[in-house]
Amino acid sequence: MASTPTTALPADDPRSILASQPMRLPQCVAIAICFLLNALDGFDILAVTFAAPGIAKQWSIGPGAIGLVVSSGLAGMVVGSLTLGQLADRIGRRPQVLLCLAIMVSGMAASAFASNVLLLCLLRAYTGLGLGAVLAAVNALSAEFANRKRRDLSVSIMAAGYPAGGIVGGWAAAQLLKHHGWESIFLFGAGATAVMVPLVLLFLPESIGWLATRGGPDALARINTILKRLGQPLAGRVVALHEPKASMRSLFTDRYRATTLALIFMYGLHMMTFYYALGWTPALVVSLGFDPSQATIVSVFMNMGGATGGVMLGFLSPRLGLRPLVLFGLAGAAAAVAAFGAVPADIVMLQGAAFLLGFLANGSVVGLYALIANIYPTTLRATGTGTVIGFGRCGAALGPFIAGQLLAVGAGRGITSLALALGSAIAALVLLATHLRVADEDAV
């Protein structure tokens, strides 16, 4: 990937300091906070599927109504990514995160007291606004608190929060439902999200990169206060860079249009494949004659593989290159999904296949997040993340739907998996054909 020409920054500019200096403990803690914030997304997605049977039983509703409840949350995430996601480039990363947390806490808590399908759908969509937008901010923050050497690893650790949240969310939901109703899942989620508010206030400062792009008479003083808190040398000056203003329109100018469209297609096509695997694995395992508890364990193995693959990509990218790893991951994920459809009805083989699938598929997602963080400059990083994820999540909704239609007409597990594997395969071809230009690392 070629570097976009920018003005070289002096050594005493705060962005150069963060890019070149070893990372200190407060920076690692900030990355850990980003990991936990992303884990809330993984928790919410899986927890609502655990709540669904109880909701259906209590309200005497069928699969169609439950599908609306699940889809409402996903729709809210799409809207949140495309709208509120841009706020992080305008008002700051930290205020946007706190706004999203307020939306998520109130939405999850209110969902526990919903009395009908319509109200629950509205509340799930409202909660999704916060969930969809917060990833745009934490993707930017995890890149901007890291040095040049550890940037891809930091983004990878943040992204690993999603499968980790799914594992914890599934386990917590299962335990809660042994003694309480479905409402307890939403209340637990609200409580876990509320705990993040003081953690953000205490341990997640504003992005130095964002403050540097905003300028102003007090910018250097604010930046040096944060640098001192991080244990880094103080900056002597802040150099003004001529970067595009934060707006979705800027993503489709001549400079970024081809890259933005390629990222949207890659992310959307891959998520179509990935969400087919995430959404249909339990049902497919049950259809082979296993009980639901065994099917859940297979899904846990997929999430474990996802967390491992994401972190592994971060460790390997400085040595092997980010683009080749993402290309390998996308092609490998396509093969793994197709292979999962052909695995015999053996629980150990299914668990192993699910782990490998999660490893490659989520590793690719993490790689795409890292590409976004590297390609867009500071002023567009959150807007770019929100836009790519927002449009790309349409593929996430399309994958399970297409699979359902294929299975309904008798296509079977093997044919359905082979067809849905095409999403990741085509995404790999898009990456292969696209020339990606990244922002200068000392200027982000």
Side-chain angles (χ1 to χ4, degrees):
M1 293 180 290
S3 179
T4 300
T6 56
T7 303
L9 289 169
D12 60 348
D13 184 274
R15 290 156 291 192
S16 293
I17 292 171
L18 284 184
S20 60
Q21 291 292 318
M23 290 180 65
R24 307 299 183 188
L25 179 61
Q27 292 167 269
C28 297
V29 172
I31 302 301
I33 297 297
C34 292
F35 169 91
L36 293 174
L37 288 167
N38 195 31
L40 294 173
D41 193 351
F43 167 85
D44 186 80
I45 290 293
L46 191 57
V48 72
T49 65
F50 276 84
I55 295 171
K57 182 178 179 181
Q58 182 173 322
W59 291 350
S60 300
I61 56 177
I66 290 296
L68 285 175
V69 173
V70 176
S71 297
S72 296
L74 292 172
M77 290 181 189
V78 171
V79 175
S81 296
L82 293 174
T83 56
L84 297 180
Q86 300 179 49
L87 285 178
D89 284 333
R90 297 179 180 179
I91 66 173
R93 317 311 195 201
R94 197 164 178 259
Q96 196 253 21
V97 168
L98 291 169
L99 172 63
C100 289
L101 288 175
I103 292 173
M104 292 154 61
V105 170
S106 56
M108 288 182 181
S111 295
F113 300 96
S115 56
N116 56 66
V117 173
L118 177 60
L119 181 57
L120 184 57
C121 286
L122 292 174
L123 290 169
R124 292 298 303 153
Y126 170 72
T127 307
L129 292 175
L131 286 163
V134 75
L135 180 55
V138 298
N139 193 56
L141 282 166
S142 58
E144 290 160 9
F145 275 116
N147 61 17
R148 183 187 303 110
K149 183 178 180 181
R150 302 297 183 190
R151 184 170 294 148
D152 291 345
L153 176 60
S154 297
V155 174
S156 300
I157 290 172
M158 176 281 299
Y162 182 92
I167 295 170
V168 175
W171 178 84
Q175 301 307 309
L176 288 168
L177 290 176
K178 289 180 179 179
H179 308 288
H180 307 283
W182 60 267
E183 299 90 346
S184 63
I185 297 175
F186 292 116
L187 291 174
F188 178 84
T193 306
V195 168
M196 293 305 303
V197 174
L199 292 179
V200 169
L201 291 172
L202 289 171
F203 301 114
L204 191 67
E206 183 55 87
S207 161
I208 287 174
W210 183 82
L211 287 171
T213 63
R214 303 299 291 182
D218 63 340
L220 183 60
R222 292 180 65 188
I223 287 170
N224 278 332
T225 298
I226 297 173
L227 284 172
K228 183 177 180 180
R229 176 178 170 182
L230 296 178
Q232 296 290 359
L234 300 185
R237 50 181 163 164
V238 178
V239 176
L241 296 174
H242 300 290
E243 295 182 339
K245 293 183 178 179
S247 70
M248 193 181 296
R249 180 179 297 178
S250 299
L251 300 175
F252 296 95
T253 58
D254 291 341
R255 179 179 177 183
Y256 292 109
R257 185 185 301 113
T259 299
T260 299
L261 290 173
L263 287 169
I264 288 172
F265 277 111
M266 281 188 285
Y267 186 81
L269 287 165
H270 179 57
M271 293 305 280
M272 183 177 71
T273 300
F274 191 27
Y275 267 70
Y276 155 66
L278 287 176
W280 276 97
T281 290
L284 291 173
V285 173
V286 168
S287 71
L288 295 174
F290 298 100
D291 61 58
S293 63
Q294 291 175 301
T296 300
I297 295 300
V298 174
S299 291
V300 169
F301 267 84
M302 187 177 294
N303 280 300
M304 290 170 59
T308 306
V311 175
M312 186 69 70
L313 180 137
F315 276 112
L316 293 177
S317 61
R319 299 169 178 83
L320 302 179
L322 183 57
R323 188 173 184 271
L325 285 172
V326 177
L327 188 61
F328 173 80
L330 290 171
V337 170
F340 186 80
V343 170
D346 179 271
I347 194 65
V348 175
M349 293 185 69
L350 287 167
Q351 289 170 353
F355 183 92
L356 180 62
L357 195 164
F359 182 92
L360 292 164
N362 194 65
S364 300
V365 173
V366 171
L368 290 171
Y369 289 157
L371 282 177
I372 295 169
N374 281 294
I375 285 169
Y376 295 115
T378 304
T379 53
L380 283 178
R381 187 169 287 129
T383 301
T385 301
T387 300
V388 171
I389 291 173
F391 284 119
R393 272 184 167 151
C394 295
L398 191 60
F401 173 77
I402 292 174
Q405 300 306 305
L406 289 172
L407 291 168
V409 299
R413 176 170 61 107
I415 297 298
T416 300
S417 296
L418 193 61
L420 269 298
L422 289 173
S424 295
I426 297 172
L429 293 176
V430 173
L431 178 57
L432 191 63
T434 304
H435 176 67
L436 299 176
R437 298 190 306 170
V438 303
D440 176 46
E441 289 182 322
D442 289 332
V444 294

